[in-house]
Amino acid sequence: MTCWTAAPAERAGQPFAPRPGRFTFFDWGDAAVSHPFCSLLVPARAARARYGAGVLPRLRDAYLEPWTGDGATAGELRRAVSLAWRLGAIGRAASWGRLFPEVAGTTSTANSTNSANGHSDSARWLLELLAEPAL
């Protein structure tokens, strides 16, 4: 199973659903080429925070259902989601690093605060690599 997708990380779990017959404009400035299973990371984390970890297996299986016709077994798909969870965390960390790069020689409090927040958010996402994937 090899497929890649443009993953708009800045959507923060909101669906991208253009309406038929209308032009839709979207800023893909924070997008990345990624495996489509990586896009499950943010909504899964939001669902876990809101409804508890017990909702994750159902969410994962519902997400994977359209992929079952491609010949991959449920176990293979679940393994791919587990790997994508970690890969998605790397993408999120890189995204935060791009949003708040360290600005050399800047004394502005706003810039140093944003940079520090971006670095701590990047580090928090990288810590996901050490944890067993929730899915």
Side-chain angles (χ1 to χ4, degrees):
M1 168 181 47
T2 51
C3 67
W4 297 89
T5 186
E10 66 190 23
R11 296 292 297 165
Q14 299 172 15
F16 177 63
R19 295 187 184 148
R22 293 185 58 196
F23 290 105
T24 302
F25 297 93
F26 186 77
D27 173 15
W28 288 85
D30 192 30
V33 175
S34 175
H35 191 281
F37 292 0
C38 293
S39 67
L40 184 57
L41 176 65
V42 172
R45 286 174 52 100
R48 181 178 61 187
R50 186 168 186 175
Y51 302 109
V55 73
L56 292 180
R58 253 181 68 206
L59 176 66
R60 176 202 58 214
D61 291 344
Y63 182 87
L64 292 176
E65 194 278 327
W67 301 93
T68 58
D70 291 340
T73 66
E76 291 170 332
L77 291 171
R78 288 178 181 145
R79 171 79 173 132
V81 165
S82 179
L83 296 171
W85 184 273
R86 288 190 165 124
L87 186 60
I90 293 170
R92 297 295 295 174
S95 175
W96 279 101
R98 285 191 310 273
L99 285 172
F100 300 105
E102 184 172 284
V103 182
T106 301
T107 57
S108 165
T109 305
N111 283 340
S112 62
T113 300
N114 286 341
S115 182
N117 289 341
H119 290 295
S120 66
D121 285 328
S122 289
R124 185 174 40 83
W125 278 106
L126 288 174
L127 287 174
E128 291 279 334
L129 297 172
L130 303 175
E132 189 63 30
L135 295 173

